[in-house]
Every structure is written in structure tokens, then in C-alpha cells.
Amino acid sequence: MNYDDKFPEFITITCYEWLALIKSNQAKEIIIESLRYLTQQNKIEVHAFVLMDNHMHLIWRIKKGYLRQDIQRDFLHHTAKQILKYLKDNHSEMINQLEVNLKDRKFQVWQRNSLSIELRTKEIYEQKLNYIHNNPVKAGMCIFEEEYKYSSAKFYITNEKDWDFLKQGDE
């Protein structure tokens, strides 16, 4: 693995109170579009991902000149806003569960303090990659990793690139 400045990072982002806020394909597409936008803006590389019903895992690398905390904050803020709008329009009964009435927000979509681990060795990178891809299998959502739509597993296993923003870690 050859990296200019920063190592890839494994990040887990959890929905508020572990609620299934991103169960629908429409909510998942909000996240996909945000990842696509950030890669098109050359702010990140996305190496792997899985979007579950109540959390997501990513392996991403923040590009030189950008700070993870800024990219992550903007990504979470944007996706939260879009998911809230989607929920208000389509699942208004869930909105009350998200009401927090804090100083800086009325509703909350994401748990605070997402887990982030820098992947400095090939072994740890591979471990997290396998963990991501096995997540839907372990949850009983599919039998084979590559069957789950909202994951990068198919890309790694069959070389089919359903997600134009993906970049393998060794590229």
C-alpha cells in the first residue's frame, strides 16, 4: 500500500439509539450520493463500505490537505439533514424518537463519537475489510457477501464495479 500523506481509516457510524434509520434503499442512497460527491471533489477515497439498517462501516482515506474531523463532520451533517427530510416525508412516526432538543440541534440521526481506527498495516486493513464484507452475512441478510447490494464486497470478490466511487486499497 502506497499512501501520500494519510493512512486509510476504518470508521463505524451508528444511527442514534441504534434505530433502523437507514433501512430503506432511499436512505442508503443518500449516503451513497454523499460518498460519491466527496470522491468527485477529491476529498476522500472510499476503499470499502457496508450500509446496514442502523449503522455503516467504511474504509476511507482522507486526501492530503483535508482534515478527517472536517470531512466527517460535513458528511454526517449533510446525510443527517437529508435523512431527516426523507423520514419526515415518508416515516413521520419515527421523528419523535429522534427529538433531542439540544443547543445545536432539534433532532439527531447519528450517535456522537464515531469509532475511527487508522489502518497502518496490511494485516489490520485486511481484517477490517473482511469484517465489513461479512457484516450482512453475520446479520443474516444474505448468505454470500457479494449478494448484499449496499456493500463493496461484490467489487472485491467479482470485480464488478457497481459503485463508481470505489477504489481498492492497493490501487
Side-chain angles (χ1 to χ4, degrees):
M1 288 188 252
N2 181 19
Y3 303 109
D4 302 343
D5 188 34
K6 299 177 183 168
F7 287 97
E9 294 175 279
F10 169 80
I11 184 166
T12 298
I13 300 167
T14 307
C15 293
Y16 181 67
E17 300 288 328
W18 283 91
L19 295 169
L21 302 178
I22 55 173
K23 184 174 184 168
S24 72
N25 288 351
Q26 294 92 327
K28 287 179 174 73
E29 288 295 332
I30 290 167
I31 296 164
I32 293 294
E33 285 307 312
S34 296
L35 292 173
R36 180 174 287 121
Y37 174 80
L38 288 171
T39 59
Q40 288 171 346
Q41 296 297 305
N42 206 28
K43 294 181 178 183
I44 65 169
E45 290 176 355
V46 179
H47 294 206
F49 76 95
V50 67
L51 306 180
M52 304 296 283
D53 293 348
N54 59 6
H55 70 285
M56 69 177 110
H57 300 291
L58 302 168
I59 294 177
W60 68 358
R61 186 173 73 86
I62 308 302
K63 295 297 226 42
K64 195 173 187 172
Y66 296 97
L67 298 174
R68 179 186 52 82
Q69 59 266 31
D70 294 341
I71 298 294
Q72 185 175 325
R73 178 199 62 229
D74 294 348
F75 171 70
L76 294 177
H77 178 77
H78 175 75
T79 54
K81 237 169 84 171
Q82 296 301 311
I83 290 168
L84 272 173
K85 182 181 181 316
Y86 165 76
L87 292 173
K88 283 177 183 174
D89 293 346
N90 299 282
H91 300 282
S92 58
E93 71 283 355
M94 294 186 84
I95 295 301
N96 292 340
Q97 298 173 67
L98 304 178
E99 196 166 343
V100 292
N101 289 318
L102 298 173
K103 216 171 16 175
D104 65 338
R105 73 195 66 193
K106 183 174 179 169
F107 299 101
Q108 188 158 336
V109 171
W110 305 117
Q111 289 284 107
R112 301 262 183 163
N113 303 321
S114 304
L115 170 71
S116 183
I117 300 169
E118 210 173 61
L119 305 177
R120 292 180 170 258
T121 68
K122 186 175 172 79
E123 293 75 29
I124 294 172
Y125 185 97
E126 293 291 326
Q127 175 198 29
K128 296 304 181 189
L129 183 69
N130 292 331
Y131 177 81
I132 286 171
H133 292 159
N134 192 47
N135 219 241
V137 174
K138 190 176 174 188
M141 299 171 90
C142 59
I143 295 171
F144 301 105
E145 295 172 349
E146 65 272 22
E147 293 174 334
Y148 187 68
K149 179 178 179 179
Y150 289 99
S151 167
S152 54
K154 189 175 180 182
F155 174 57
Y156 281 86
I157 294 167
T158 69
N159 283 331
E160 290 181 52
K161 198 166 184 177
D162 292 342
W163 311 108
D164 59 349
F165 56 83
L166 277 175
K167 180 177 182 178
Q168 283 192 352
D170 53 3
E171 286 182 10

